[in-house]
Amino acid sequence: MSYDDNSPISAREARRLFAGLKAAPALVLAVSGGPDSVALMWLAARWQRSLARGPQLTVVTVDHGLRPEAAREAREVKRLAAELGLPHRTLRWRGAKPKTGLPAAAREARYRLLAEAARAAGASHVLTAHTRDDQAETLLMRLFRGSGLAGLSAMAPLSERDGIVLARPLLDVPKSQLIATLRRAKVGFAEDPTNRDTAFTRPRLRALLPLLAAEGGDARNLARLAARLARANAAVEVLADGAERFLRLRDRGDAPQAGVRSFEASAFAVLPEEVRLRLLLRAINALGHEGPAELGKVETLLSALDQAIAASLDARATGRPVLKQTLAGALISFAGGRIQIAPAPARRRGGG
């Protein structure tokens, strides 16, 4: 769908934005009080009223306890939700806050609390107000961090977290259009000062966007790039699925070990490099116990595996391990012509 960046969203456009959610039993709307999320609430309420039988909507505001204004903003969201006939809950992130990595920790807490609220409300989805501008900023953040194809796909319209579907119905809508929608409806909203705080990465990137736009790298083109990369990433995932089936067929006569993934090294070695990386990532993340593996470390592991496989073919190794190392709580070994990934032994605590 294409939009005039400064025109309010019509009722017809709103129906298209939320059409895929019509059959959901209940939805949680994540509303902070800023323009994007207030527009999400206003549009969703109008859409729901247009249906003979639509999902139950619950508005949830997460107060991270980081700004004194947040409690007042939550009360304002509650007031507006009541005007729209929607129930509202304020959830608070309690406990000590980290001194480093605060934005990431706050994001994790927010999604955890939203998922809990969705389960309590019997909701299948949590709706967030991420916009095309957010998508462009996310792409840039991941680009500068050296992310791979999956990371550069940025945010998906639908994703799963803690058993709840996260839906981003405004992902192709510019922020300016949401503000125009609220202004026409005479609906007020808050401005979070942290959105301009250059101590954080996202506001610094936001300040760069006008310069990038002058060179053709505006939010529309950056979001289009993310969508194209997501399309390519989905295709590579299909190839990785096929490669897993291929490797299983090669092992048809061998009973698989419980809690272990094993590949015939010679068959693994002929697969495209990106597919090999994904197979290792899948296995390590499934069997490791120290969180997701970093792509750069898996790339280093794959290089070592490739060298070990080549050396074993040249020397006709006797079956003793040619490679054995741990990564993200998984033990990866190569011996006897096979690559094996299993949970690594737990690290010993303490010393002495």
Side-chain angles (χ1 to χ4, degrees):
M1 186 185 295
S2 66
Y3 295 96
D4 173 356
D5 285 6
N6 296 299
S7 65
I9 296 173
S10 68
R12 176 181 294 180
E13 289 169 336
R15 284 196 296 272
R16 291 177 185 170
L17 290 171
F18 297 107
L21 300 164
K22 184 178 178 180
L27 303 170
V28 161
L29 309 178
V31 182
S32 66
D36 304 349
S37 61
V38 169
L40 171 71
M41 176 172 61
W42 190 84
L43 289 165
R46 184 170 65 166
W47 163 71
Q48 184 204 43
R49 287 196 301 270
S50 73
L51 301 174
R53 233 177 126 182
Q56 294 295 313
L57 303 182
T58 300
V59 179
V60 174
T61 303
V62 176
D63 181 352
H64 295 91
L66 301 174
R67 297 184 299 113
E69 305 91 347
R72 175 179 50 78
E73 291 164 5
R75 289 193 297 272
E76 183 60 23
V77 172
K78 181 177 183 177
R79 182 195 63 77
L80 181 55
E83 288 181 4
L84 295 170
L86 302 178
H88 175 271
R89 292 182 63 193
T90 297
L91 303 179
R92 290 173 177 80
W93 181 26
R94 303 191 186 277
K97 310 299 189 290
K99 290 192 176 9
T100 59
L102 184 59
R107 185 171 58 251
E108 286 297 315
R110 179 167 64 251
Y111 283 126
R112 175 177 54 78
L113 290 168
L114 288 168
E116 291 172 3
R119 282 190 286 271
S124 55
H125 295 65
V126 168
L127 275 59
T128 67
H130 292 104
T131 65
R132 191 170 70 190
D133 304 71
D134 297 315
Q135 184 76 316
E137 292 163 10
T138 299
L139 173 67
L140 290 175
M141 287 177 70
R142 296 182 180 180
L143 175 67
F144 296 151
R145 289 173 184 169
S147 294
L149 187 58
L152 294 175
S153 302
M155 293 180 284
L158 295 173
S159 58
E160 187 274 336
R161 193 183 184 104
D162 297 330
I164 300 295
V165 178
L166 292 180
R168 301 177 175 95
L170 308 181
L171 200 54
D172 195 36
V173 180
K175 184 186 187 80
S176 57
Q177 193 175 21
L178 297 179
I179 292 175
T181 301
L182 294 177
R183 284 178 175 158
R184 172 173 286 185
K186 296 183 171 52
V187 175
F189 53 84
E191 287 286 359
D192 184 348
T194 60
N195 287 332
R196 299 185 299 275
D197 187 347
T198 54
F200 300 112
T201 303
R202 196 174 281 271
R204 291 198 299 271
L205 289 177
R206 194 170 294 138
L208 287 177
L209 280 173
L211 297 175
L212 295 175
E215 301 297 332
D218 60 9
R220 185 189 300 272
N221 282 337
L222 290 172
R224 183 182 295 125
L225 173 59
R228 289 170 173 166
L229 292 169
R231 189 173 64 209
N233 182 62
V236 178
E237 280 290 284
V238 171
L239 292 177
D241 291 342
E244 279 193 321
R245 290 193 294 272
F246 164 71
L247 291 172
R248 281 198 301 268
L249 285 171
R250 300 278 297 190
D251 293 339
R252 192 160 32 188
D254 299 325
Q257 285 182 259
V260 174
R261 294 196 186 180
S262 178
F263 308 132
E264 180 187 326
S266 59
F268 178 84
V270 301
L271 297 170
E273 183 176 358
E274 180 67 20
V275 171
R276 299 202 307 277
L277 276 171
R278 290 180 187 232
L279 294 182
L280 287 175
L281 265 169
R282 289 180 181 187
I284 292 167
N285 289 342
L287 298 170
H289 48 77
E290 294 179 3
E294 294 178 26
L295 177 59
K297 292 182 178 180
V298 180
E299 288 171 334
T300 300
L301 169 66
L302 179 61
S303 177
L305 268 175
D306 285 345
Q307 293 175 27
I309 292 168
S312 71
L313 292 174
D314 288 342
R316 299 298 171 189
T318 61
R320 289 177 299 175
V322 178
L323 179 144
K324 189 173 186 179
Q325 67 180 68
T326 59
L327 176 59
L331 176 64
I332 302 95
S333 59
F334 166 61
R338 297 197 68 81
I339 300 162
Q340 182 170 287
I341 301 99
R347 296 177 189 268
R348 287 195 225 170
R349 297 186 178 274

